[in-house]
Amino acid sequence: AVVETGFVEGTVAVDGRSMHGSLIEEADNAVVKAALLIPELLDAPFTTLEHPIAGRNMVSVLRIESSAPMNAIPDRASFYLTTRIFGEPSLEEVRAQISDICERHDATFEVADEGGWWETADARMDGRAQLRGSVWLAGRGLRAGAPASRPSTG
């Protein structure tokens, strides 16, 4: 069989209270709050499910940023996450689980992109699967058969 996993991806934002770096006890460090949130997202309930070919549903954090200049406690941190999902649960349920975890940490989750999964009965890729893959690549500025990284345009 040929499988394509589904995904939900987006930005998680965490707010805190900024202070000068010498006033740590008076601040509410958004980066620390984000760091405490990430392990819970990595262990979200949907990550316990596994597909025999695609593997376990997963969450991955791809980028972390903060608002703080040097010598200041950040009042805002954000990170971009993506998921790998196959079969159950639905994309809607994955979004809900991520949002619920974020809410427990006073954070927000804004979906940037998502897509469903598919599986063919045998190893031949059917026309729908091929078309979907081509559309997905084109939407990201890539083409079928091209290297995964984009060439430099400088």
Side-chain angles (χ1 to χ4, degrees):
V2 175
V3 300
E4 172 67 27
T5 60
F7 67 96
V8 173
E9 59 186 40
T11 301
V12 175
V14 182
D15 290 319
R17 185 176 58 256
S18 183
M19 290 284 171
H20 186 273
S22 66
L23 302 171
I24 296 169
E25 64 280 351
E26 295 179 33
D28 186 17
N29 191 324
V31 170
V32 170
K33 291 169 72 173
L36 295 171
L37 167 58
I38 290 170
E40 192 170 339
L41 288 167
L42 295 176
D43 290 332
F46 71 87
T47 65
T48 62
L49 304 174
E50 189 168 336
H51 183 273
I53 296 172
R56 188 170 60 91
N57 290 343
M58 298 184 81
V59 174
S60 182
V61 175
L62 305 179
R63 180 180 62 239
I64 302 175
E65 300 173 339
S66 84
S67 63
M70 291 301 292
N71 299 321
I73 305 297
D75 64 351
R76 181 130 177 118
S78 64
F79 55 92
Y80 196 84
L81 68 80
T82 188
T83 62
R84 179 178 72 194
I85 310 154
F86 193 86
E88 297 294 327
S90 67
L91 297 178
E92 181 179 353
E93 176 60 24
V94 169
R95 286 191 313 270
Q97 287 183 25
I98 292 170
S99 293
D100 288 348
I101 293 168
C102 287
E103 285 176 19
R104 288 197 300 269
H105 290 264
D106 295 321
T108 59
F109 176 58
E110 183 178 330
V111 175
D113 198 7
E114 64 180 31
W117 59 271
W118 52 261
E119 179 174 14
T120 62
D122 59 36
R124 294 177 310 213
M125 187 179 275
D126 71 9
R128 290 174 302 144
Q130 201 166 21
L131 176 62
R132 175 160 182 226
S134 295
V135 168
W136 186 88
L137 287 170
R140 284 158 176 75
L142 303 171
R143 61 181 168 70
S149 61
R150 295 182 188 189
S152 173
T153 58

